Amino acid sequence: MESAATVQPLNHQLSFLFPTKLIRTKASPCRWPSKPATSHSTRLYCQKMYVPGFGEASPEAKAAKNLHNFFTYIAVRIVAAQLQSYNPEAYEELMEFLGRHSLNDGDKFCANLMRESSRHKGLDGISIQVRTAYCKNDFEWDNLKRLSSKMVTEANTKLMRDYVLETSHAESEK
Amino acid sequence: MESAATVQPLNHQLSFLFPTKLIRTKASPCRWPSKPATSHSTRLYCQKMYVPGFGEASPEAKAAKNLHNFFTYIAVRIVAAQLQSYNPEAYEELMEFLGRHSLNDGDKFCANLMRESSRHKGLDGISIQVRTAYCKNDFEWDNLKRLSSKMVTEANTKLMRDYVLETSHAESEK
């Protein structure tokens, strides 16, 4: 109840700081005007919030790039776990390779693994096939959206609750 | 054409290293057996690849956590860009705060901002409302999936092409 009371005024602050179209809760895709351009209708009409700093890319492209590296990391974990059971020798070689190369840049890691493929028994091709299969078939995209939405709601509630508890405690001590 | 010739044998390697059910291309959700458990039907039946190392969490939860911090980063950028136009004084204060606090942990950043809210004119509440609106309305989840899928395909093709060009060049020099 305290958090609800705290949240309420923020809507007012938000509408005070930003133009209404920038804080609308229902999003729709950006679109060009369907009528021929005139002096006052040439501007791109977009109902979404403007996100600066991404140049010609987009936040989605940036997130996809991070996920791309994450999928490579997962593919290598999957391959390593399988090799540990079925091919201990190849597993040891992969572990040794992992000790020498960072997985932060997935494509660079795969390229390096590819250059040593003769020694690593085709682990390069296996890794990139596994990451493709994982990205396109196994990864639960709907679940990612659901978890992200749930996480932001819960995190906000927690932030508000902690703050209210902290401040009410401080008030009662006065 | 060269890359196709290189890719083909990898399917064979993959089926050699992994049991068939671990490299199936069509995924379906994990499910418990519908019949009562017997000695040979108690095992959880799952058609997805096993991803080790995530404990009780999941790769989707890990990705959602990273996106959560990314959304906070985006929200702060949106707020800063708006303040720069509408409230230069608050913008300066936010920039000064950003210089002192890392955005790597979104919730920690918001909690710190909240503790200084009186000085930062409610930027805490604005930031968490913007990240919620961005996550739930503006972020294009379908686009993220499409870009990730495209990225993994293009990256694999590039890796194969570069490797084939490199090795064929080395061959021709012999």
Side-chain angles (χ1 to χ4, degrees):
Chain A
M1 284 180 69
E2 296 91 338
S3 62
T6 317
V7 171
Q8 202 56 34
L10 298 174
N11 283 316
H12 179 70
Q13 291 173 348
L14 211 59
S15 59
F16 173 75
L17 274 166
F18 303 132
T20 312
K21 79 183 178 83
L22 289 168
I23 54 160
R24 53 191 306 131
T25 52
K26 184 69 186 169
S28 65
C30 302
R31 56 178 187 269
W32 293 99
S34 53
K35 291 179 183 177
T38 65
S39 60
H40 55 274
S41 69
T42 47
R43 200 174 150 202
L44 177 64
Y45 181 63
C46 180
Q47 292 184 327
K48 293 194 173 184
M49 291 182 284
Y50 167 61
V51 185
F54 284 88
E56 290 181 3
S58 66
E60 288 80 7
K62 173 82 176 168
K65 178 66 188 163
N66 281 333
L67 276 178
H68 182 66
N69 291 327
F70 183 56
F71 291 149
T72 310
Y73 165 80
I74 285 180
V76 171
R77 290 204 81 119
I78 291 172
V79 170
Q82 290 294 317
L83 288 177
Q84 198 169 15
S85 310
Y86 295 99
N87 192 338
E89 191 189 341
Y91 171 76
E92 290 300 327
E93 287 179 339
L94 180 59
M95 287 298 109
E96 184 267 333
F97 185 84
L98 275 166
R100 287 187 287 117
H101 295 86
S102 164
L103 255 166
N104 287 347
D105 185 334
D107 287 339
K108 193 175 171 188
F109 178 87
C110 289
N112 287 329
L113 191 58
M114 204 167 265
R115 302 302 179 279
E116 299 194 31
S117 65
S118 58
R119 217 161 67 79
H120 289 85
K121 299 184 173 62
L123 294 178
D124 53 335
I126 293 165
S127 298
I128 67 173
Q129 283 209 5
V130 168
R131 83 171 173 183
T132 307
Y134 186 80
C135 168
K136 297 192 177 182
N137 304 312
D138 280 18
F139 190 70
E140 298 170 355
W141 294 94
D142 290 342
N143 200 16
L144 174 68
K145 183 179 177 181
R146 189 185 61 79
L147 286 171
S148 295
S149 182
K150 188 182 165 199
M151 199 173 280
V152 78
T153 304
E154 288 179 352
N156 290 353
T157 307
K158 186 178 182 307
L159 280 168
M160 292 292 188
R161 190 194 296 123
D162 289 352
Y163 180 68
V164 169
L165 284 172
E166 197 176 297
T167 48
S168 60
H169 186 66
E171 284 289 322
S172 65
E173 279 182 345
K174 283 180 183 173
Chain B
M1 283 178 71
E2 296 92 337
S3 62
T6 316
V7 170
Q8 201 57 34
L10 297 175
N11 282 318
H12 179 67
Q13 291 172 348
L14 211 58
S15 59
F16 173 73
L17 274 167
F18 303 132
T20 313
K21 78 183 179 85
L22 289 168
I23 53 158
R24 54 190 305 129
T25 53
K26 184 68 185 169
S28 67
C30 303
R31 56 178 186 268
W32 293 99
S34 54
K35 290 179 183 176
T38 66
S39 60
H40 56 274
S41 70
T42 47
R43 200 174 149 203
L44 178 64
Y45 181 64
C46 181
Q47 292 183 328
K48 293 194 173 184
M49 291 183 284
Y50 167 63
V51 185
F54 284 88
E56 291 181 4
S58 65
E60 287 80 6
K62 174 81 176 167
K65 179 65 189 165
N66 281 333
L67 276 179
H68 183 67
N69 291 328
F70 184 56
F71 291 150
T72 311
Y73 165 80
I74 285 179
V76 171
R77 289 204 81 120
I78 291 172
V79 170
Q82 289 294 318
L83 288 176
Q84 199 169 15
S85 309
Y86 295 98
N87 193 337
E89 191 189 341
Y91 171 75
E92 289 300 327
E93 287 180 339
L94 181 59
M95 287 297 110
E96 184 268 334
F97 185 85
L98 275 166
R100 285 186 289 118
H101 296 86
S102 164
L103 256 166
N104 287 346
D105 185 334
D107 286 338
K108 194 174 171 189
F109 178 88
C110 289
N112 287 329
L113 191 57
M114 204 168 265
R115 301 303 179 277
E116 299 193 31
S117 65
S118 58
R119 220 162 63 80
H120 290 85
K121 298 185 175 60
L123 295 179
D124 53 333
I126 294 165
S127 298
I128 66 174
Q129 284 211 3
V130 169
R131 82 172 172 183
T132 307
Y134 186 79
C135 168
K136 297 193 178 185
N137 304 312
D138 280 18
F139 189 70
E140 298 170 357
W141 294 94
D142 291 341
N143 200 17
L144 174 68
K145 183 180 177 181
R146 188 184 61 79
L147 287 171
S148 295
S149 181
K150 187 182 165 199
M151 200 173 279
V152 78
T153 305
E154 288 179 352
N156 290 353
T157 306
K158 186 178 183 307
L159 280 168
M160 291 293 188
R161 188 192 299 123
D162 289 352
Y163 180 68
V164 169
L165 283 173
E166 198 176 294
T167 49
S168 60
H169 185 66
E171 283 291 323
S172 64
E173 279 182 346
K174 282 181 185 174

